Amino acid sequence: MCEIFCFNSNNPKEVNECLECFYGHSDEHPHGWGLANMQKDESMIDKEPVKASCSQHLKNILSNPVIGKNVFAHIRLATVGEIISPNCHPFIEADDNNRSWMLIHNGTIFDYPELDKYKEKEHGDTDSERILLYIIDKINDFEAKKGSVSTIKERFYILEKIIRNLSKNNKLNLMIYDGDLTYIHSNMKDSLYYLKNDEGFLVASTPLTDDKEWKPVELNKLFGLIDGNIIFESEEHENEFILTEENKKAMEDFLKSITGEIHD
């Protein structure tokens, strides 16, 4: 599958050391990389469908300080969708009230037919992009009925319901940013970790420093972060994802189809 990374803080900090460690895992996740430095006035998003360690563009970015309060990164091991730029994370789309939403995903949607209608709307052909389009539709529907922009709390509980439903029979490690909140969710054991310190919150698929305080993200809950603090925490749902032999075979068959590689 993929690996994901997030830094959330109350003040802009340099995150190059963590990013370099994170992108160092690209030998196992060679099908693309992405980086998002999300800011209120201007956001930087870069991505390429090449292995991170082979990207001169990424090397150029990391040769300068990457400083931000809300920084996200992704390295891709394709399980759905071709190895092309539109399928690299992060994905970003605007809702009807011109709020920008960003999403990165580690996982696979095996069973959620409601996403199928977005195959005609998406720029690429990944289940991850469809998740974002689905979320935006739900936000648009809510705000149209309300007649005004949603509050932070309203958006959190809209996403809680969406993710609770989406997580059944699907691996759904997600990081989402809506301009205010950073949303974090994991439903697979030992697949997402966090470190809270004076710098802020670090969240990653595997610990990125030698600090012994890294802990697993609590499963089956949605967390909402602002300025390095948990503002919202949902009730726990029951949709823990356990990878089956059938799931593994489906992903291996897909990898063979796009790379011609054989995976034991």
Side-chain angles (χ1 to χ4, degrees), residues 5-250:
F5 164 85
C6 163
F7 173 71
N8 180 270
S9 179
N10 63 337
N11 287 306
K13 303 285 194 329
E14 182 178 329
V15 291
N16 291 59
E17 186 175 346
C18 284
L19 288 174
E20 286 167 4
C21 179
F22 175 77
Y23 288 123
H25 302 166
S26 63
D27 281 350
E28 291 81 35
H29 305 83
H31 299 141
W33 65 270
L35 175 63
N37 191 347
M38 306 301 292
Q39 302 174 21
K40 276 288 186 183
D41 299 326
E42 184 180 0
S43 296
M44 179 204 77
I45 294 181
D46 285 281
K47 54 185 181 177
E48 284 184 308
V50 299
K51 190 188 332 185
S53 60
C54 296
S55 171
Q56 185 59 49
H57 182 45
L58 180 58
K59 287 185 177 71
N60 292 341
I61 291 171
L62 297 180
S63 68
N64 296 295
V66 177
I67 299 171
K69 292 174 56 178
N70 298 282
V71 180
F72 302 84
H74 187 277
I75 45 178
R76 185 177 184 229
L77 178 65
T79 57
V80 176
E82 295 180 75
I83 303 172
I84 56 175
S85 185
N87 287 339
C88 294
H89 307 221
F91 300 99
I92 187 163
E93 294 286 344
D95 62 27
D96 286 347
N97 281 306
N98 207 34
R99 174 180 294 275
S100 289
W101 291 76
M102 185 234 59
L103 176 146
I104 57 177
H105 176 213
N106 168 22
T108 302
I109 303 300
F110 295 99
D111 178 25
Y112 206 77
E114 287 187 61
L115 295 184
D116 290 347
K117 65 183 179 182
Y118 298 100
K119 291 180 180 180
E120 296 181 357
K121 297 181 180 180
E122 62 187 343
H123 300 291
D125 59 348
T126 68
D127 49 4
S128 305
E129 185 180 5
R130 287 169 219 146
I131 294 170
L132 180 58
L133 295 173
Y134 179 66
I135 288 170
I136 287 175
D137 266 3
K138 293 296 185 183
I139 294 292
N140 287 339
D141 288 347
F142 176 86
E143 293 183 340
K145 290 175 184 175
K146 182 184 178 184
S148 62
V149 176
S150 55
T151 66
I152 293 174
K153 187 174 183 179
E154 286 170 339
R155 291 195 298 279
F156 180 82
Y157 287 109
I158 292 168
L159 262 72
E160 178 193 12
K161 182 177 179 181
I162 291 170
I163 288 171
R164 179 184 296 269
N165 293 333
L166 266 172
S167 60
K168 187 176 181 180
N169 301 321
N170 300 307
K171 184 183 177 187
L172 205 65
N173 284 5
L174 284 173
M175 296 175 176
I176 302 169
Y177 181 67
D178 70 2
D180 294 308
L181 270 180
T182 291
Y183 305 80
I184 304 291
H185 176 267
S186 175
N187 69 331
M188 184 174 177
K189 192 174 293 184
D190 301 325
S191 65
L192 198 64
Y193 297 82
Y194 76 94
L195 174 66
K196 176 75 167 73
N197 57 27
D198 293 339
E199 298 292 301
F201 252 99
L202 286 168
V203 188
S205 299
T206 59
L208 298 177
T209 69
D210 294 330
D211 196 308
K212 298 186 184 302
E213 294 301 312
W214 282 92
K215 299 174 183 177
V217 170
E218 192 170 352
L219 288 184
N220 305 336
K221 287 186 173 184
L222 181 65
F223 296 91
L225 279 62
I226 296 179
D227 291 344
N229 294 295
I230 296 173
I231 305 300
F232 299 113
E233 178 179 338
S234 75
E235 296 293 323
E236 183 178 350
H237 61 70
E238 299 179 349
N239 300 327
E240 180 181 350
F241 179 75
I242 298 172
L243 191 65
T244 65
E245 289 303 317
E246 184 180 1
N247 297 148
K248 290 179 185 177
K249 185 176 185 307

